[in-house]
Amino acid sequence: MWQNVAFILIGLGVLVLIGWAVQGFFMASEIPLLIRIAVGIIGAGVLILVGIAIKDRLKRAKTEDFKEVER
């Protein structure tokens, strides 16, 4: 149980740091607007692909049949 709490706290901390870095990147006026838009589009595409992969893996996990494994 405590291991799950630790993983959640680490994940939240990493998300906060990533959010802070992303905000700094997108608010920086010295970076051209076109580059910021391109990075945003790439980031959205990566997030969509990760979401699809997780969804597909969870769907397949429900239908997998392990013959020699007891549940």
Side-chain angles (χ1 to χ4, degrees):
M1 156 129 173
W2 288 106
Q3 186 178 12
N4 292 338
V5 171
F7 283 134
I8 291 171
L9 289 175
I10 290 170
L12 288 174
V14 168
L15 286 176
V16 167
L17 288 175
I18 290 172
W20 180 57
V22 167
Q23 178 200 11
F25 175 80
F26 284 108
M27 295 298 198
S29 60
E30 62 270 3
I31 299 173
L33 180 62
L34 185 62
I35 300 297
R36 289 186 280 172
I37 291 171
V39 169
I41 291 170
I42 291 169
V46 168
L47 286 176
I48 290 170
L49 286 176
V50 168
I52 290 170
I54 291 171
K55 180 182 168 189
D56 184 50
R57 181 65 186 117
L58 290 174
K59 187 162 70 168
R60 261 195 273 148
K62 292 178 184 176
T63 61
E64 287 179 349
D65 186 27
F66 298 103
K67 294 180 180 176
E68 296 182 10
V69 177
E70 295 181 18
R71 287 188 178 204

